[in-house]
Amino acid sequence: MPMYVVGHKIPDSDSICGAIALAYLKNQIDEPAIAARLGELSPETAFILERFGFEAPLFKESYAGEEVYIVDHSELTQAPDDIAEATIVGIVDHHKLGDLTTSTPLECWIRPVGCSNTVIKMMYDFYKVDIPADIAGIMMCAILSDTVIFKSPTCTTADIRCVEALAEIAGIEDFKALGMEMFKVKSAVEGTPARDLVMRDFKDFNMNGNLVGIGQLEVIDLSVFDAIKADLEADIRALKQEGKRHSVLLLLTDIMKEGSEMLVISDDSELTQKAYGKATIDGKVWLDGVLSRKKQVVPQLQQAFA
């Protein structure tokens, strides 16, 4: 029976490309695996897969009775709804250790790097498996996305070295130019419904018993949101109520100015003051230098809820 390799709900490029890359590796070492996904592709991920000739992984929501290898998270809120009825055989991740638990031993590859695909590259090296050019291409793009083309504070020397090695395998001479193409795709928001934008890169977190949803939209110029910001604010307000969340935060990240405007709907009017030392004014706060949800947003929020 093959294992299913699957990332988190509302998958990003790291989650999708990682599932494809890890499933291929597992099959090469005689551990049958199928790449899967829990949601629709983002425009950026669709661009990456088309660029390197891949179809989307299998869409599968139920995993009861299956063996599952988790990619790019270890959070119960981000896993399949029936994950308790599955057997988790492994986790590859680059985030904090979450609350997924297992009843049997499992393989864990968790490293403090900028992207899960950097860890998967380490796995290929460990098993001495050659990476095909097309898989190297999608892995490289996932790392460029997660590290914001090396601008994110989560980026490490390992991420940079992996991108350089993967670019050579994939035959990409100017990987930074390809990275900018990806972010231009991310920046095309005109005509997209507010809910689709809010949920494009959205994760729920359990923070000391409080459900907190955090979305992020990374663009080249924040002016693309000028005409739709009110719609985004209305939608995160609705999303908070629908999901019975304590708070919903939406990061509008300008990768060129290297900062984020955070839209905030919360039961605690002083939440951003407690977490970041900056008060929310009219439901918004500018966080200079903040690019990473993982490193610069979530830990501070968790401390505020503690």
Side-chain angles (χ1 to χ4, degrees):
M1 180 177 70
M3 72 182 79
Y4 288 93
V5 184
V6 66
H8 48 75
K9 294 175 179 175
I10 314 175
D12 60 2
S13 296
D14 189 25
S15 180
I16 294 292
C17 297
I20 294 171
L22 183 55
Y24 178 86
L25 170 61
K26 286 294 181 181
N27 283 313
Q28 297 310 299
I29 59 174
D30 297 323
E31 297 178 20
I34 298 171
R37 59 187 169 94
L38 288 174
E40 298 304 314
L41 302 183
S42 71
E44 179 199 65
T45 308
F47 169 83
I48 293 169
L49 296 191
E50 182 178 1
R51 173 69 172 73
F52 290 97
F54 284 94
E55 298 291 331
L58 171 71
F59 177 67
K60 180 176 171 62
E61 293 183 290
S62 178
Y63 293 83
E66 308 283 8
E67 291 189 344
V68 180
Y69 204 118
I70 296 290
V71 175
D72 197 29
H73 76 97
S74 59
E75 301 276 355
L76 190 60
T77 56
Q78 297 170 30
D81 290 338
D82 58 359
I83 193 64
E85 301 170 57
T87 300
I88 302 175
V89 297
I91 296 174
V92 57
D93 192 21
H94 65 121
H95 299 90
K96 71 176 183 68
L97 188 61
D99 54 0
L100 281 178
T101 60
T102 67
S103 58
T104 56
L106 73 162
E107 178 180 56
C108 281
W109 289 74
I110 301 175
R111 302 288 187 275
V113 294
C115 183
S116 296
N117 275 271
T118 298
V119 184
I120 295 170
K121 170 65 166 63
M122 297 175 184
M123 296 174 72
Y124 272 91
D125 293 343
F126 177 82
Y127 287 108
K128 295 182 172 57
V129 172
D130 291 334
I131 307 175
D134 53 357
I135 289 182
I138 64 172
M139 292 174 68
M140 175 197 70
C141 287
I143 301 170
L144 290 171
S145 176
D146 261 19
T147 63
V148 195
I149 318 177
F150 306 153
K151 289 186 177 185
S152 172
T154 64
C155 184
T156 66
T157 300
D159 298 297
I160 297 170
R161 295 292 176 263
C162 284
V163 165
E164 292 170 345
L166 292 166
E168 184 174 351
I169 296 169
I172 303 297
E173 293 185 7
D174 191 345
F175 56 78
K176 289 189 177 181
L178 179 54
M180 285 302 296
E181 283 188 61
M182 290 159 42
F183 278 94
K184 287 177 183 177
V185 171
K186 277 189 173 183
S187 298
V189 301
E190 185 177 355
T192 305
R195 177 56 58 93
D196 290 353
L197 290 174
V198 170
M199 301 301 290
R200 182 173 285 181
D201 185 4
F202 186 90
K203 293 181 178 180
D204 274 318
F205 298 86
N206 183 336
M207 297 192 176
N208 198 25
N210 300 284
L211 187 61
V212 179
I214 308 173
Q216 184 171 24
L217 292 167
E218 297 166 314
V219 296
I220 296 172
D221 185 347
L222 286 189
S223 66
V224 300
F225 297 118
D226 288 350
I228 61 171
K229 195 173 293 183
D231 294 334
L232 296 174
E233 291 172 318
D235 196 72
I236 64 171
R237 186 179 298 278
L239 194 62
K240 176 184 180 299
Q241 186 173 6
E242 292 164 16
K244 298 180 180 179
R245 296 173 172 89
H246 176 282
S247 304
V248 176
L249 315 175
L250 180 62
L251 290 164
L252 306 180
T253 299
D254 189 317
I255 70 167
M256 304 307 290
K257 292 181 179 178
E258 299 189 23
S260 297
E261 181 177 46
M262 179 183 283
L263 308 185
V264 182
I265 303 294
S266 177
D267 290 340
D268 184 351
S269 62
E270 298 183 354
L271 182 61
T272 61
Q273 181 67 49
K274 295 174 182 176
Y276 313 111
K278 298 192 71 173
T280 302
I281 300 174
D282 295 328
K284 307 177 189 69
V285 60
W286 172 258
L287 300 175
D288 194 47
V290 170
L291 297 174
S292 169
R293 172 175 51 194
K294 177 184 75 172
K295 191 169 186 176
Q296 296 172 295
V297 176
V298 172
Q300 293 83 349
L301 276 177
Q302 288 183 314
Q303 185 62 36
F305 278 101

